Amino acid sequence: MTISEMNFFQRMAYIVQRYGVSLLEGAGTTMAIAIICTFLGCVIGFAVGLVQTAEPHKNSSMFTRGLLRIIKLILTAYVEIFRGTPMMLQAAFIYYGTAQVFGINLGMWSAAIIIVSVNTGAYMAETVRGGILSIDPGQREGARAIGMSHLQTMMLVILPQSLRNIMPQIGNNLIINIKDTCVLSIIGTVELFFTFRSISGALYTYFEAATVTMIIYFILTFTCSRILRWIENRMDGPANFDLATGDTLAFTSGLTRYNEKTGGTY
């Protein structure tokens, strides 16, 4: 039986049977790029967010204040450019531009990681900045009052609290990167979407190949979203907390906690 004589489901089964390994390899490449670039993007975003929210010390010199202002302007331009242009154009600009202008021929993995990481970092920078600003300013002032530097204040006081607030956006960026890696096919990266294009072009079964590929994308994104939701719930901790005290005569409220799973107290 030729493929033209098969029905829809038989063609899907044929694609899975013949190109299943290629689809899995493409899915593996997609996940690897998405996870690595989300991590690197978070590192870039945290670094940029820390600088953007930095305030010069009152005893800082004019040179230090001017330098900080120039760095902030450069970082703001970076964020606005990469958030305001499509990643597909960024991929072509970086991959072909570096080769034409600077004579640097980036490999598939190098180009893919640089492109997606820098793009993710621009979005994460705004997320981190918003997460930092969402914390009560009094905590920052208190940390500075006891002699903490800006970096110490961020690392020890502000970021641990803001991390929970921005955790959903970190997960959202991972989900977006899983899907947006398809734009890397423009520079020849053999990920899941590139594999789909190869299969559909070889067999002329665009609908069936797209259906199989969409199912794989959904499995990847749904699995990651469930894992991230579990991590968020673990970070929340219990709904109520007991006040720890060494004074046996001191009565503290909340000695029992309501267990939402069992419906009782403990």
Side-chain angles (χ1 to χ4, degrees):
M1 181 184 297
T2 63
I3 193 168
S4 59
E5 297 173 341
M6 299 178 183
N7 59 35
F8 174 76
F9 294 103
Q10 288 175 327
R11 284 193 289 268
M12 285 183 58
Y14 178 79
I15 290 172
V16 173
Q17 179 182 1
R18 182 172 178 179
Y19 297 100
V21 175
S22 298
L23 288 168
L24 290 177
E25 290 177 351
T29 302
T30 293
M31 283 301 303
I33 293 174
I35 293 173
I36 293 172
C37 294
T38 300
F39 173 76
L40 294 178
C42 288
V43 174
I44 295 172
F46 273 98
V48 174
L50 286 173
V51 175
Q52 286 183 321
T53 56
E55 294 295 337
H57 195 270
K58 60 181 180 180
N59 296 326
S60 299
S61 63
M62 292 296 297
F63 174 79
T64 302
R65 292 174 181 269
L67 180 62
L68 180 59
R69 183 173 179 81
I70 292 173
I71 294 174
K72 284 186 176 182
L73 289 175
I74 295 173
L75 294 179
T76 300
Y78 152 68
V79 171
E80 295 299 330
I81 290 173
F82 278 89
R83 290 176 67 229
T85 55
M87 188 161 68
M88 181 175 289
L89 289 178
Q90 296 168 14
F93 180 84
I94 294 175
Y95 184 73
Y96 298 111
T98 53
Q100 182 176 347
V101 178
F102 302 104
I104 301 175
N105 296 313
L106 296 173
M108 180 196 74
W109 277 94
S110 301
I113 290 174
I114 291 173
I115 292 163
V116 182
S117 297
V118 173
N119 181 273
T120 304
Y123 285 93
M124 278 304 304
E126 285 297 287
T127 301
V128 172
R129 187 179 68 86
I132 291 174
L133 296 179
S134 68
I135 304 301
D136 187 357
Q139 299 197 34
R140 186 184 306 182
E141 295 171 1
R144 298 297 293 270
I146 62 175
M148 284 188 175
S149 64
H150 175 72
L151 182 60
Q152 290 175 322
T153 302
M154 291 296 106
M155 299 302 296
L156 301 177
V157 180
I158 305 300
L159 287 182
Q161 299 179 71
S162 61
L163 179 61
R164 176 60 187 88
N165 297 334
I166 66 178
M167 188 63 191
Q169 185 58 34
I170 294 176
N172 189 48
N173 283 332
L174 174 60
I175 300 301
I176 292 174
N177 284 341
I178 293 174
K179 297 181 294 182
D180 283 358
T181 51
C182 65
V183 306
L184 298 175
S185 61
I186 193 175
I187 62 173
T189 304
V190 186
E191 38 72 56
L192 185 55
F193 183 77
F194 187 94
T195 306
F196 152 72
R197 291 178 57 186
S198 301
I199 295 172
S200 58
L203 301 178
Y204 298 99
T205 53
Y206 293 93
F207 186 35
E208 293 82 356
T211 302
V212 173
T213 307
M214 287 177 64
I215 292 173
I216 296 175
Y217 270 117
F218 176 77
I219 292 173
L220 296 179
T221 56
F222 182 79
T223 302
C224 288
S225 64
R226 294 299 97 187
I227 294 174
L228 292 167
R229 186 66 57 82
W230 177 80
I231 294 174
E232 291 175 20
N233 292 335
R234 294 287 295 179
M235 292 179 67
D236 283 340
N240 301 300
F241 296 87
D242 289 334
L243 179 62
T245 177
D247 188 356
T248 58
L249 299 178
F251 178 77
T252 59
S253 60
L255 293 179
T256 60
R257 290 185 288 180
Y258 180 75
N259 192 325
E260 296 180 355
K261 295 182 179 180
T262 61
T265 58
Y266 62 98

